[in-house]
């Protein structure tokens, strides 16, 4: 009897826990056509629920992005459709309000250190019966907030499913726009932030958009020009010292005597 009482005190399968499992299962089911989702179990919760590796066809790309998921009942959110995000990802844009969608400063600082694109996914479900339950998935981008001096996060979410189909491409036939487009732009932004101008072919993502060969995205490049210029000047300085035969101070610890 004592054990039964103790179990009821701390073993509760809460509505919140059920919703979280439901949301994560739906996310995995739709994203698995284009990504390998690696789930971070609760005891190791670090502000990220999944590290995902992008896959196009049967070829894992080695391209990673991070995801936090919030699962919400439709009755608890205020959601407003703002039309198609024309000329960009071509997905439907939404304003979604709920206090659980707020990301605190400590989490943002941790995300900043990852150096890869990070997305907040909101999984919103209706309260109808299981047989007729409607679930939709939306994502918000954080790359600009995490890698530039702006203090303004992207205000909007983008609907990324059509039923059980993940909208990796808004135009499924031509393989253009959609989540893959945003992921590619965010990958390039993270690359410039880390002062690398190496080009990731969008064809690696299956994206038939943007140049396949090396290219520079002028507008994005300009955002990170301060980082890039600083590294360039430091590199020139060290190369000049090497050319003159001057030793470069080493950051390595001294050897044990």
């Amino acid at each position: 009897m004592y054990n039964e009482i103790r179990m009821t005190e701390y073993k509760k399968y809460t509505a919140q826990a059920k919703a979280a499992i439901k949301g994560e299962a739906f996310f995995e089911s739709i994203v698995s056509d284009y990504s390998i989702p690696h789930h971070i179990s609760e005891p190791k919760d670090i502000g990220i629920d999944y590290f995902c590796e992008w896959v196009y066809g049967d070829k894992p790309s080695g391209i990673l992005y991070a995801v936090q998921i919030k699962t919400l009942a439709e009755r608890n959110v205020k959601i407003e459709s703002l039309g198609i995000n024309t000329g960009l990802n071509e997905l439907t844009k939404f304003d979604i309000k709920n206090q659980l969608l707020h990301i605190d400063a400590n989490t943002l600082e941790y995300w900043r250190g990852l150096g890869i694109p990070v997305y907040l996914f909101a999984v919103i479900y209706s309260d109808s019966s299981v047989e007729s339950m409607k679930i939709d998935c939306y994502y918000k981008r954080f790359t600009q907030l995490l890698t530039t001096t702006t203090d303004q996060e992207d205000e909007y979410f983008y609907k990324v499913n059509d039923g059980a189909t993940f909208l990796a491409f808004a135009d499924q036939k031509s393989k253009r726009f959609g989540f893959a487009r945003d992921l590619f732009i965010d990958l390039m932004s993270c690359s410039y932030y880390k002062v690398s101008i190496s080009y990731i072919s969008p064809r690696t993502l299956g994206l038939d958009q943007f140049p396949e060969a090396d290219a520079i995205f002028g507008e994005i490049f300009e955002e990170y020009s301060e980082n890039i210029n600083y590294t360039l000047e430091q590199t020139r300085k060290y190369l000049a010292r090497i050319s003159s035969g001057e030793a470069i101070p080493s950051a390595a610890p001294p050897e044990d005597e």
Side-chain angles (χ1 to χ4, degrees), residues 161-180:
N161 75 297
D162 181 7
T165 299
F166 184 70
L167 298 179
F169 311 105
D171 187 331
Q172 297 282 341
K173 185 175 181 180
S174 67
K175 306 298 182 187
R176 293 165 64 86
F177 310 111
F179 180 79

Side-chain angles (χ1 to χ4, degrees), residues 20-232:
I21 291 171
K22 185 186 304 179
E24 289 174 357
F26 183 71
F27 169 78
E28 286 194 30
S29 71
I30 63 171
V31 82
S32 59
D33 284 337
Y34 293 96
S35 297
I36 302 171
H38 300 280
H39 190 215
I40 308 300
S41 59
E42 186 175 350
K44 300 175 184 177
D45 188 355
I46 50 176
I48 291 295
D49 293 311
Y50 289 90
F51 286 102
C52 299
E53 180 180 3
W54 187 263
V55 175
Y56 182 66
D58 59 356
K59 296 179 180 179
S61 64
I63 292 170
L64 298 176
Y65 62 97
V67 170
Q68 184 174 108
I69 295 176
K70 299 291 186 181
T71 306
L72 304 164
E74 191 176 48
R75 69 179 183 277
N76 294 328
V77 299
K78 181 180 179 182
I79 182 166
E80 179 185 2
S81 176
L82 301 173
I84 300 294
N85 194 30
T86 306
L88 297 171
N89 58 24
E90 294 287 337
L91 297 173
T92 306
K93 182 166 61 176
F94 287 83
D95 182 32
I96 303 177
K97 302 293 187 187
N98 181 283
Q99 62 180 4
L100 293 177
L101 298 175
H102 172 71
I103 305 299
D104 63 49
N106 289 336
T107 300
L108 288 174
E109 190 59 30
Y110 171 70
W111 287 1
R112 187 171 286 111
L114 293 175
I116 60 175
V118 182
Y119 302 94
L120 172 63
F121 275 74
V123 178
I124 299 177
Y125 64 93
S126 68
D127 294 316
S128 54
S129 65
V130 173
E131 290 76 13
S132 59
M133 183 178 291
K134 179 176 178 288
I135 305 181
D136 283 318
C137 191
Y138 309 80
Y139 70 93
K140 179 188 278 193
R141 302 167 69 188
F142 280 83
T143 297
Q144 188 174 39
L145 178 64
L146 298 176
T147 62
T148 68
T149 56
T150 181
D151 59 358
Q152 296 295 317
E153 65 183 66
D154 190 329
E155 297 179 63
Y156 306 113
F157 284 85
Y158 304 96
K159 188 170 181 287
V160 74
N161 75 297
D162 181 7
T165 299
F166 184 70
L167 298 179
F169 311 105
D171 187 331
Q172 297 282 341
K173 185 175 181 180
S174 67
K175 306 298 182 187
R176 293 165 64 86
F177 310 111
F179 180 79
R181 177 267 179 195
D182 285 351
L183 176 60
F184 176 72
I185 294 295
D186 291 341
L187 286 166
M188 293 306 305
S189 296
C190 287
S191 181
Y192 293 159
Y193 172 65
K194 293 182 286 188
V195 199
S196 169
I197 59 173
S198 58
Y199 188 72
I200 300 167
S201 171
R203 307 304 177 266
T204 304
L205 282 70
L207 188 65
D208 194 12
Q209 192 177 353
F210 306 115
E212 182 173 8
D214 288 358
I216 292 293
F217 288 86
E219 185 178 340
I220 303 174
F221 189 89
E222 187 175 347
E223 282 190 278
Y224 302 93
S225 60
E226 187 174 337
N227 294 30
I228 295 168
N229 276 324
Y230 174 78
T231 302
L232 177 60

Side-chain angles (χ1 to χ4, degrees), residues 236-247:
R236 284 174 174 164
K237 182 176 72 174
Y238 289 129
L239 288 174
R241 292 173 70 170
I242 290 172
S243 297
S244 66
E246 184 181 350

